[in-house]
Amino acid sequence: VQIVDLHTHLMPPSFDEMMLWGVDELLTYHYLTCEFFQTATHITPEEFFALPKDQQGDQIWDALFVKRTPISEQCRGVVTTLTLLGLGDLGARSALPRSC
C-alpha cells in the first residue's frame, strides 16, 4: 500500500519540488517557524523569510535547540529524527549537524 502523508508533508520523489528533504527543511517546518517567532525579538518575519533556507534553519536551531531546551512536540520530533540518523550528541547544544 502506497502512503502519502499530506499533514507532515511526506511526499514521494515523483512530487519533484514538493518533496522536501534535509535538515534545513526539517527545521523550517511551519510548526517550528511559528514557535521561533513566539520568542524571536531580534528579527522580523520579513527579514527572516528574506534569508536563504540554511540561514533560516540556523536561526531556528540556535533559538529553539541551543538557547532553549527543545521540549515542544515539534522540537522533540527533530531531536528524535537527528538522533535516529546518528548525528552526534545533541545534548551538547552545539552547531547544527548539516550531514543529513
Side-chain angles (χ1 to χ4, degrees), residues 19-41:
M19 189 199 86
L20 307 176
W21 60 275
V23 70
D24 293 315
E25 295 296 347
L26 183 65
L27 288 171
T28 57
Y29 184 64
H30 62 92
Y31 287 138
L32 289 169
T33 302
C34 290
E35 185 175 344
F36 169 77
F37 283 121
Q38 290 175 357
T39 60
T41 58

Side-chain angles (χ1 to χ4, degrees), residues 10-75:
L10 299 175
M11 306 289 182
S14 61
F15 277 52
D16 297 322
E17 69 274 352
M18 289 177 59
M19 189 199 86
L20 307 176
W21 60 275
V23 70
D24 293 315
E25 295 296 347
L26 183 65
L27 288 171
T28 57
Y29 184 64
H30 62 92
Y31 287 138
L32 289 169
T33 302
C34 290
E35 185 175 344
F36 169 77
F37 283 121
Q38 290 175 357
T39 60
T41 58
H42 67 286
I43 191 168
T44 67
E46 294 79 17
E47 292 168 333
F48 176 83
F49 289 113
L51 295 173
K53 187 73 73 163
D54 64 328
Q55 290 180 24
Q56 291 177 12
D58 288 344
Q59 291 278 325
I60 291 173
W61 179 260
D62 185 58
L64 300 183
F65 296 87
V66 175
K67 292 180 178 170
R68 297 176 64 206
T69 301
I71 59 172
S72 69
E73 189 67 28
Q74 50 271 23
C75 285

